Amino acid sequence: MAATMPPTPANNNGPKVQIVEKVGEDKSYNYSFTYEKATLYEFKFNRAPVPDPIDPCFRCNRRVQPKDQLLVTDVLFHKQCFRCRICGLPLTQQTFHRNTDNGSSDKEVYCRTHIGKNIGQIQRGEVPAMGAEGPSVDGKNTLYR
C-alpha cells in the first residue's frame, strides 16, 4: 500500500510539498516528506517490521543504545528519531506535543503546527506543510528553539 501526495503545481507560488507513505508486505513502513521553497528540506524514516526485543525505538523499531536514549513519558526514542511525525522538525522535551484529544492513545510526537493534524489535511492545504518553527532560513535545518 502506498499513499502519495503529488508535488504542488509548478505555477503555484507556494512551497512544493510531497509526502509518500509505503507499507511493505513484511509490515515495514517507509515515510518521506519533501518541502521545497527557497531550499529543499527532506525528512524520511523507515520502521523495521518487527521491534527489536531489547529497548526498541518507538519511531524506527531499532534498538536504542543507552547513550542515545531519550525517554519521553515512558516512550523510548533515539535522539535523532525524536522529530515531528509529520514534518520531521527536531523536537526537544520542551517543544514536543502529543495528540491526546478525545482520549487518543497516540504515542507519536508532533510539532506545535501538526499536533492533532493528519497528512490528508496537509494534502488538501488545510494545514501548513512545515511547522511554524520551520526549517532554518540558512538551509542547515539545525535547530529550532
Side-chain angles (χ1 to χ4, degrees):
M1 176 184 103
T4 303
M5 179 183 147
T8 54
N11 62 0
N12 183 347
N13 291 333
K16 296 175 185 169
V17 177
Q18 184 173 19
I19 299 172
V20 178
E21 293 184 287
K22 294 180 184 175
V23 177
E25 290 181 16
D26 65 351
K27 303 293 184 207
S28 61
Y29 176 77
N30 298 302
Y31 177 85
S32 173
F33 173 92
T34 306
Y35 176 89
E36 185 175 6
K37 194 168 183 180
T39 59
L40 178 68
Y41 173 84
E42 189 170 38
F43 166 62
K44 294 181 178 184
F45 75 87
N46 302 308
R47 181 175 292 138
V50 178
D52 193 280
I54 301 171
D55 295 334
C57 171
F58 180 77
R59 177 66 48 85
C60 70
N61 278 345
R62 289 171 182 77
R63 184 176 184 181
V64 183
Q65 297 297 327
K67 65 180 181 188
D68 195 31
Q69 290 184 355
L70 184 59
L71 187 62
V72 181
T73 57
D74 297 326
V75 180
L76 186 63
F77 289 89
H78 287 103
K79 290 176 185 175
Q80 68 271 18
C81 288
F82 195 64
R83 296 171 169 261
C84 174
R85 162 65 179 85
I86 305 259
C87 68
L89 186 76
L91 301 169
T92 69
Q93 293 204 23
Q94 291 74 37
T95 61
F96 85 96
H97 296 274
R98 282 249 165 79
N99 183 15
T100 56
D101 290 347
N102 301 321
S104 172
S105 61
D106 184 2
K107 293 181 180 179
E108 275 292 356
V109 292
Y110 301 90
C111 66
R112 179 177 50 204
T113 299
H114 294 124
I115 180 67
K117 307 297 188 269
N118 63 52
I119 293 169
Q121 291 173 302
I122 294 170
Q123 292 172 330
R124 293 186 299 272
E126 298 169 6
V127 176
M130 282 305 299
E133 301 88 348
S136 62
V137 293
D138 63 6
K140 294 181 182 173
N141 303 321
T142 46
L143 171 84
Y144 310 108
R145 297 181 186 105

